[in-house]
Amino acid sequence: MSKIYIFDKYTVNKYNINNDDYVYLLNPSSEIDQNINIINNSKIINDLALRLKNNYIDFINSINQFFLKENIIYDKTISMFFFSDLFNKRTEKFDTYVSICHILFLKEFIDKNKHINRIITIGCRHEFNSSLSSLIDDIKISRKKEKNNNFKYIKLYILQFSFCIKSILKLILIKVFYKSKNLSNMKNIFLTRYPLHFDKNFLEEKYADFVGEGDNYMISLITDGMHQNLNFFNTYKSLKILDKKNNVLLLDSYLSFFDFIKGFINDLILKFRIKKIFKEKFIFKNIDVSEYIYLELLISFSRIPRLLCYKNAIIQSLTNHSPEKFVFYLHEYSYGRYFNYILSKYFSSIERVGFQHGPASKRKLLYYIGNNMVSNINEDWLLKTPIPNKILSEDELSMKIYKDSGYENVEIMKKIYRLNYLKNIKRNKIEKKSILIVPGLHDGLFLIDKISNYIKKKSDNNFILKPHPRSSIFKNGLPKKYQYKNIKIEEDHVSKYLSIVSKVIATYSSVGIEAYMLNIPVTVVMLPNKINESPLLDIYESGKSNLIDIIW
């Protein structure tokens, strides 16, 4: 008889695995020097992710019934389900969906291999172990070094109180150091955040030159404390810069201290209401995923009260300026959905334009709303969500994804504004043995680990590791075990390297698709801990390009 060892962020070499046993890795694992049977299959996992997509979206949407049952409704108009991260299906943030794919794969493998009589999970999260046990209940499952999540109610209350106090102190800085402006003849307004999305020349990185002369930014510094979280010094520094700009409407200047106090009170009320939902069981494909759903609900209801703080500020600022058009990205996320709702209800004459801010793909569930789930009629908003009047998408693939999801009036941009820098790249000095490695925000070490043997074998190649600009993973350099002679970390703008390299290696980073647009061969690396949401995988599966290679 045989066993399956399931490892999550735990060193395999600490265990002696028999030759007739199997190993499954929920995360990439380094230093495996045993001759073991690793049964991971990234292709099957990514195929499952695509095949189960519609069923999973319907399952998530069905949870709205419990919001309505507990009267978790905003403005007596709309279900707060539509402002939740749960509804957004943020697979880059939550492991719910990929864990379902893992568990279904393991179930099928065990059913085909009847000699397996035991599963040992090592370092796995409580949510995963519970879901696994709910589906595979006919063989013994041992849990070792199980990890529980840290999202307890008392901790969340403390975090919300801290956000409230810090926001009030930042608001004092805003009232003292920023002079509100009334911008005349406002036609188009672009929602964004500062300084997160601006360069040193005050050019917004997503909209770029789509913002024309006479257009204005609506900027938030405080936001929800999640998309951006400035300290007091950077808040003050940003205020001094924004105070000199004549095309900025600082949304935070319309906030009151009571808005944040009310937000904290809302948090107490909402946390009490969702406790009743925690008594429900959530089953998908015979897997009890309740623990995962509870976690997503807790995160959702940490963000929602912070969004609600902005209601009066949005209404007052737009009443004072009456723009014709409101352009915003993150319209697929809770942050943007809240703004879209306020405009839909209180300013229906203002055209709402959703602006695609990054690559879309068939496996990126965030972009999919679900069947019969959209409406711009107020009376429908307990069961359906309002959407922008128009969507500006980046390309044909993205447009199809938006249309398939139920969005209306989808147009392709005249150009992808956030990629303006590509037009200045001249590839006339290509270094044939120079390879660029571009990790995503969180997967840098996983990527390097997966391709470490490849780097060692290609000793005559020069590997350039360009970390994600907002990642701190490599702030102290490469770990010692990856410090090969032919790899180094570089920090210049990625355009410098795209002009010279002969190949790019990526997971889901948007730099991968940007390299493809420059006709640079791209190797997409699949990691076991995440579903790959790069559009490069969609292009590869379509068979329409020979520039893309996959490492499963």
Side-chain angles (χ1 to χ4, degrees):
M1 304 301 285
S2 300
K3 299 182 288 291
I4 294 180
Y5 290 83
I6 304 174
F7 288 88
D8 188 357
K9 297 180 182 177
Y10 209 81
T11 305
V12 175
N13 283 340
K14 291 186 177 181
Y15 288 81
N16 292 318
I17 312 295
N18 294 329
N19 291 333
D20 56 350
D21 291 334
Y22 304 95
V23 168
Y24 194 80
L25 305 174
L26 297 181
N27 273 294
S29 180
S30 60
E31 300 178 352
I32 301 178
D33 54 18
Q34 304 178 54
N35 184 21
I36 56 179
N37 298 316
I38 297 177
I39 61 173
N40 284 73
N41 190 316
S42 294
K43 187 177 189 312
I44 291 178
I45 294 299
N46 279 276
D47 287 347
L48 272 171
L50 201 56
R51 180 158 54 86
L52 296 173
K53 179 178 67 177
N54 291 334
N55 289 334
Y56 183 73
I57 292 168
D58 290 342
F59 163 71
I60 292 296
N61 287 341
S62 72
I63 297 175
N64 183 39
Q65 65 183 297
F66 301 106
F67 281 67
L68 300 180
K69 178 182 176 182
E70 302 304 332
N71 198 35
I72 305 177
I73 296 168
Y74 183 60
D75 250 359
K76 298 180 180 180
T77 303
I78 188 169
S79 171
M80 289 196 193
F81 172 71
F82 298 119
F83 301 149
S84 70
D85 292 81
L86 174 67
F87 175 60
N88 294 160
K89 301 170 291 296
R90 294 186 60 182
T91 49
E92 90 287 358
K93 185 178 182 67
F94 301 116
D95 291 334
T96 311
Y97 192 50
V98 71
S99 296
I100 288 169
C101 295
H102 285 314
I103 291 168
L104 289 174
F105 171 85
L106 287 164
K107 171 65 173 173
E108 184 176 350
F109 184 85
I110 290 169
D111 288 345
K112 290 180 179 178
N113 294 273
K114 302 296 184 182
H115 58 285
I116 295 172
N117 68 339
R118 188 180 176 192
I119 296 174
I120 301 173
T121 69
I122 302 169
C124 296
R125 286 170 46 188
H126 170 71
E127 297 93 329
F128 177 83
N129 287 334
S130 296
S131 294
L132 179 71
S133 300
S134 70
L135 185 66
I136 303 174
D137 57 1
D138 54 345
I139 62 177
K140 182 178 180 180
I141 299 177
S142 301
R143 308 180 184 189
K144 296 187 177 182
K145 303 185 181 299
E146 181 178 82
K147 295 181 179 179
N148 291 311
N149 72 68
N150 296 318
F151 293 100
K152 306 302 181 184
Y153 267 96
I154 186 63
K155 181 178 179 180
L156 290 174
Y157 286 135
I158 292 171
L159 287 174
Q160 291 297 78
F161 182 72
S162 175
F163 171 78
C164 178
I165 297 301
K166 288 179 180 178
S167 296
I168 288 174
L169 293 175
K170 289 176 184 178
L171 189 53
I172 292 174
L173 288 177
I174 292 169
K175 300 296 185 185
V176 172
F177 294 105
Y178 184 82
K179 185 178 180 180
S180 296
K181 309 175 183 70
N182 277 325
L183 307 176
S184 59
N185 300 318
M186 181 179 289
K187 186 175 181 181
N188 301 324
I189 192 163
F190 292 77
L191 178 67
T192 184
R193 292 154 295 169
Y194 183 86
L196 182 62
H197 292 300
F198 285 80
D199 66 14
K200 61 183 179 180
N201 298 316
F202 205 71
L203 181 68
E204 217 279 352
E205 64 177 6
K206 304 293 186 181
Y207 300 125
D209 60 359
F210 186 56
V211 178
E213 186 175 347
D215 292 338
N216 297 274
Y217 294 112
M218 175 183 280
I219 284 176
S220 177
L221 294 176
I222 299 174
T223 68
D224 56 10
M226 297 179 178
H227 280 100
Q228 175 173 275
N229 189 11
L230 300 179
N231 59 33
F232 295 111
F233 175 75
N234 285 330
T235 300
Y236 168 77
K237 183 179 175 182
S238 298
L239 285 170
K240 299 300 286 183
I241 293 172
L242 293 178
D243 193 46
K244 299 175 183 178
K245 302 296 180 181
N246 295 319
N247 63 339
V248 168
L249 191 165
L250 182 60
L251 181 63
D252 303 318
S253 67
Y254 290 87
L255 289 164
S256 70
F257 300 112
F258 181 70
D259 288 329
F260 291 111
I261 295 171
K262 186 178 178 182
F264 182 69
I265 294 171
N266 280 333
D267 178 69
L268 297 177
I269 295 171
L270 290 173
K271 289 289 197 309
F272 175 77
R273 287 186 179 179
I274 66 166
K275 278 186 177 181
K276 294 183 179 180
I277 300 181
F278 282 23
K279 297 177 182 178
E280 305 290 343
K281 287 290 184 183
F282 299 99
I283 311 296
F284 179 72
K285 295 294 180 182
N286 296 320
I287 304 171
D288 186 343
V289 293
S290 301
E291 297 292 335
Y292 281 108
I293 298 299
Y294 299 158
L295 182 59
E296 292 198 35
L297 283 170
L298 282 175
I299 299 299
S300 296
F301 280 88
S302 294
R303 187 191 305 278
I304 289 174
R306 302 181 183 192
L307 294 175
L308 305 188
C309 294
Y310 276 89
K311 177 183 178 180
N312 292 332
I314 298 170
I315 291 175
Q316 185 181 346
S317 63
L318 291 177
T319 299
N320 288 355
H321 295 91
S322 301
E324 295 178 15
K325 185 181 296 183
F326 187 88
V327 186
F328 62 119
Y329 52 82
L330 297 183
H331 65 91
E332 309 94 343
Y333 291 79
S334 302
Y335 185 77
R337 288 190 189 282
Y338 183 69
F339 278 85
N340 183 70
Y341 162 73
I342 295 294
L343 270 84
S344 298
K345 181 170 183 181
Y346 297 98
F347 301 93
S348 58
S349 63
I350 298 176
E351 184 182 14
R352 307 181 309 279
V353 180
F355 186 95
Q356 184 180 344
H357 74 290
S361 79
K362 293 179 181 179
R363 293 172 176 83
K364 197 171 181 68
L365 300 187
L366 173 77
Y367 285 86
Y368 291 89
I369 298 177
N371 185 41
N372 196 28
M373 289 295 294
V374 302
S375 173
N376 281 329
I377 301 173
N378 299 33
E379 290 76 14
D380 293 340
W381 291 344
L382 294 180
L383 300 173
K384 302 180 182 183
T385 180
I387 55 173
N389 304 119
K390 183 168 73 173
I391 300 293
L392 293 179
S393 65
E394 293 187 343
D395 49 43
E396 291 282 351
L397 174 61
S398 300
M399 182 172 71
K400 185 177 187 309
I401 287 172
Y402 277 121
K403 286 184 175 181
D404 287 348
S405 185
Y407 288 95
E408 300 172 348
N409 300 323
V410 184
E411 299 177 6
I412 297 179
M413 303 175 187
K414 293 180 180 178
K415 60 180 179 180
I416 304 177
Y417 296 92
R418 66 183 177 86
L419 301 183
N420 273 357
Y421 80 94
L422 293 181
K423 67 184 180 183
N424 297 318
I425 293 177
K426 309 297 182 185
R427 287 184 49 78
N428 50 15
K429 294 182 180 180
I430 300 173
E431 299 174 6
K432 291 185 177 180
K433 294 190 176 183
S434 185
I435 300 174
L436 178 64
I437 304 171
V438 281
L441 180 58
H442 304 294
D443 65 5
L445 285 177
F446 295 149
L447 173 57
I448 292 297
D449 184 76
K450 178 97 174 191
I451 64 173
S452 59
N453 288 332
Y454 177 81
I455 295 171
K456 285 188 287 186
K457 289 178 181 178
K458 296 285 186 178
S459 58
D460 59 338
N461 281 258
N462 172 37
F463 290 87
I464 301 167
L465 173 61
K466 175 64 174 75
H468 190 284
R470 291 199 290 273
S471 173
S472 60
I473 293 174
F474 297 106
K475 64 180 180 180
N476 297 319
L478 277 164
K480 189 174 181 179
K481 61 184 176 182
Y482 303 127
Q483 291 177 5
Y484 311 126
K485 292 181 179 179
N486 60 334
I487 183 172
K488 60 180 179 178
I489 296 176
E490 297 286 3
E491 297 290 350
D492 290 333
H493 193 274
V494 71
S495 59
K496 173 182 176 180
Y497 313 114
L498 289 178
S499 66
I500 60 171
V501 296
S502 59
K503 183 178 182 180
V504 169
I505 298 176
T507 50
Y508 63 86
S509 169
S510 62
V511 178
I513 191 71
E514 290 156 29
Y516 172 77
M517 293 170 68
L518 292 169
N519 292 315
I520 302 174
V522 183
T523 294
V524 181
V525 179
M526 303 294 171
L527 299 175
N529 60 322
K530 291 293 180 184
I531 296 162
N532 194 292
E533 297 179 349
S534 171
L536 291 172
L537 181 55
D538 297 331
I539 297 170
Y540 174 83
E541 290 175 335
S542 72
K544 294 180 180 179
S545 175
N546 58 3
L547 287 175
I548 304 169
D549 185 29
I550 304 289
I551 295 179
W552 294 105

